[in-house]
Amino acid sequence: MAVDLVPSGMSLTLSPEHEMIQQVARKFAQEKIAPIAAKFDESGEFPYETVMEMGKLGLMGIEVPEEYGGAGMDTIAYVLAMEEISKADAAHGVIMSVNNSLFCHGLLKFGTEEQKQKYLAPVASGQVVGAYSLTEPMSGSDAGTMKSRAVLNEAGTHYIINGRKSWVTSGPVARYIVLFAMTEPEKKHKGITAFIIDTERPGFERGKVEPKLGIRASATSEILFEDYEAPVEDVLGKPGEGFKIAMTILDAGRIGIAAQALGIAEAAYEASVQYARERYAFGQPIGSFQMIQQKIADMKTRIEASRMLIYNAALAKMRSWETGERYTLEAAMAKLFASETAMWVTTQAVQIHGGIGYSKELPIERYFRDAKITEIYEGTSEIQRIVIARNQLGLR
Ligand code: CAA
């Protein structure tokens, strides 16, 4: 598909197709997700019904070709939809992002034809949920130090997997999971292999569910493997290529999280503008005070800068299908800036709202809690800075 985010006059204009997906996602998010977001945040229950409806709308496999159950659209379409869904509820946003980027993109890029038919199609069409599992209790940012082991059996037909993984988004509900395990520990990074896990096979168990500060309706858990037998056909890519596959998939994932952060920031910003117009103090709307105006100006500017970095990363990802070039730098910059913007903007939004911003009567405190995770998962802000600096200094 041609890149159709085109300069028009002095502004970037979306194509009719992009406007259409933005409208579909916005309508669904505002009519179906926004009204239930507070209830699901409170209970921490997984929002099955709306997630299944998102699948029917094509939002769970936006960039996957139609032949594999997806919507056959591009990365700009994906970030536009991610922003709209996350603006209504960041928990729905991360479920969508992990399904689209960490599962579907991984299968699309590294899967065999058979794997795409068997595993990608049901996840991209939203019939079942997909997940990705890299992190372990003692291996987070330093992902190459994982302990989970996969040993090829004597017949050479199956890998026997044992280990414990943590912080798996959609871990409690996923049917299929992209998993990383050590096949040759002495080779460190180069001894890691990627697998597609079917959670209905014996040897797989779901562990402790994390009680979280934010994105509470998204389910996050440990997953446990005890002599799980993965057929060799379920290896994703080649044995030993797992670390590069994990990092390549995370480049795509970071664009999704950046768009999630943008949606959270937008929601907090719009509420703040409205409040600054309506709330009176000292006989005037608080928006007439320069200290509030400064916040509004900086919030808006940082949000629009995030948007540009996200579109830039999305375009780089689209080009990479043709050139094969990595978009690690663009994705890291978008994720770093958008997530820190979301945290900063939601902090200002609470401040502008004062006491009511701290109350559960409004969603402002939820935006504030939800924003924090965008600076942590799929690579902390510190990791994004390492990635950016190494790239610029030619250290990698
Ligand atoms: N694409 C392709 N290859 C890459 C790559 C990328 N983006 N990044 C690194 N590589 C390759 C390198 O080229 C190198 O290859 P060679 O061995 O052939 O030279 C190899 O991988 C090792 O690279 P490094 O030496 O740079 O590896 P490192 O150990 O120094 O780690 C890191 C680099 C950037 C810190 C990396 O470990 C990292 O990104 N860590 C963060 C992990 C992370 O984001 N975890 C989140 C998990 S998902 C999640 O949050 C849960 C969820 O469900 C949402």
Side-chain angles (χ1 to χ4, degrees):
M1 185 194 211
V3 173
D4 41 12
L5 182 76
V6 287
S8 153
M10 291 303 286
S11 63
L12 293 170
T13 311
L14 297 181
S15 70
E17 200 182 14
H18 288 141
E19 275 183 3
M20 190 266 296
I21 181 104
Q22 188 182 45
Q23 288 306 325
V24 167
R26 183 175 296 164
K27 188 167 183 316
F28 180 75
Q30 292 307 319
E31 288 178 5
K32 297 284 174 67
I33 299 178
I36 61 161
K39 180 175 149 247
F40 281 81
D41 170 61
E42 180 80 30
S43 68
E45 200 187 323
F46 187 82
Y48 276 106
E49 215 173 291
T50 35
V51 168
M52 290 297 129
E53 282 183 63
M54 276 162 57
K56 289 190 191 127
L57 289 173
L59 299 177
M60 295 302 268
I62 293 178
E63 295 173 82
V64 175
E66 288 171 29
E67 58 185 302
Y68 302 121
M73 300 185 81
D74 63 16
T75 316
I76 294 292
Y78 170 55
V79 295
L80 289 169
M82 266 300 298
E83 178 188 344
E84 294 301 328
I85 298 296
S86 306
K87 198 167 162 181
D89 179 33
H92 281 77
V94 72
I95 297 162
M96 178 177 157
S97 180
V98 167
N99 207 82
N100 274 272
S101 297
L102 298 191
F103 189 91
C104 292
H105 178 72
L107 268 279
L108 199 56
K109 189 143 177 75
F110 298 104
T112 61
E113 182 56 31
E114 197 195 351
Q115 289 171 341
K116 287 179 193 167
Q117 297 288 352
K118 191 170 169 190
Y119 299 118
L120 177 57
V123 175
S125 60
Q127 292 162 45
V128 296
V129 175
Y132 169 102
S133 178
L134 177 70
T135 305
E136 297 184 357
M138 293 308 288
S139 164
S141 293
D142 192 2
T145 57
M146 64 183 66
K147 293 273 180 295
S148 292
R149 284 296 314 266
V151 180
L152 191 61
N153 68 1
E154 274 185 21
T157 58
H158 289 76
Y159 281 89
I160 314 300
I161 304 180
N162 282 285
R164 173 187 290 257
K165 292 281 182 179
S166 52
W167 289 103
V168 185
T169 299
S170 297
V173 296
R175 170 68 197 268
Y176 301 121
I177 301 176
V178 171
L179 173 89
F180 301 90
M182 276 285 182
T183 38
E184 293 178 88
E186 63 289 354
K187 292 192 181 168
K188 301 194 172 153
H189 289 111
K190 291 186 186 348
I192 294 171
T193 299
F195 297 89
I196 306 161
I197 299 298
D198 180 348
T199 60
E200 291 192 351
R201 291 175 79 96
F204 172 85
E205 244 187 79
R206 305 181 203 268
K208 177 172 77 89
V209 177
E210 296 297 341
K212 306 191 297 289
L213 172 73
I215 53 161
R216 289 175 39 75
S218 70
T220 314
S221 73
E222 290 193 332
I223 55 173
L224 313 168
F225 294 87
E226 202 179 325
D227 294 335
Y228 176 98
E229 294 184 21
V232 287
E233 298 79 47
D234 289 354
V235 168
L236 183 64
K238 294 203 180 76
E241 284 185 353
F243 189 78
K244 283 194 181 178
I245 292 174
M247 292 299 123
T248 305
I249 295 176
L250 278 172
D251 286 343
R254 287 167 185 169
I255 300 175
I257 299 307
Q260 180 200 28
L262 176 63
I264 300 169
E266 277 266 299
Y269 170 72
E270 286 179 12
S272 300
V273 168
Q274 192 186 335
Y275 192 75
R277 284 202 187 110
E278 291 170 0
R279 169 76 182 187
Y280 273 68
F282 305 102
Q284 300 170 54
I286 60 168
S288 65
F289 298 122
Q290 288 184 349
M291 273 194 256
I292 299 291
Q293 290 175 359
Q294 185 190 17
K295 290 188 196 303
I296 297 290
D298 289 350
M299 289 160 92
K300 177 67 177 166
T301 305
R302 291 190 197 194
I303 286 171
E304 293 310 318
S306 300
R307 190 188 309 286
M308 290 301 117
L309 283 170
I310 291 167
Y311 290 173
N312 182 52
L315 293 174
K317 182 181 169 201
M318 284 156 65
R319 279 195 305 274
S320 89
W321 283 111
E322 279 154 35
T323 62
E325 277 177 29
R326 278 166 54 174
Y327 48 92
T328 307
L329 173 68
E330 291 86 349
M333 292 193 301
K335 201 242 179 208
L336 172 66
F337 195 82
S339 61
E340 293 195 343
T341 293
M343 196 64 243
W344 188 82
V345 165
T346 55
T347 305
Q348 303 312 313
V350 173
Q351 196 67 19
I352 290 171
H353 282 78
I356 193 71
Y358 198 67
S359 160
K360 284 195 182 289
E361 277 189 34
L362 291 184
I364 312 301
E365 61 81 36
R366 172 163 59 86
Y367 303 149
F368 174 79
R369 285 185 287 109
D370 287 349
K372 186 61 209 170
I373 192 62
T374 66
E375 294 182 319
I376 298 174
Y377 58 19
E378 302 203 23
T380 60
S381 290
E382 290 78 4
I383 290 292
Q384 306 311 324
R385 287 189 166 91
I386 288 172
V387 169
I388 296 164
R390 279 185 183 177
N391 175 288
Q392 291 303 287
L393 295 166
L395 297 175
R396 273 284 152 201

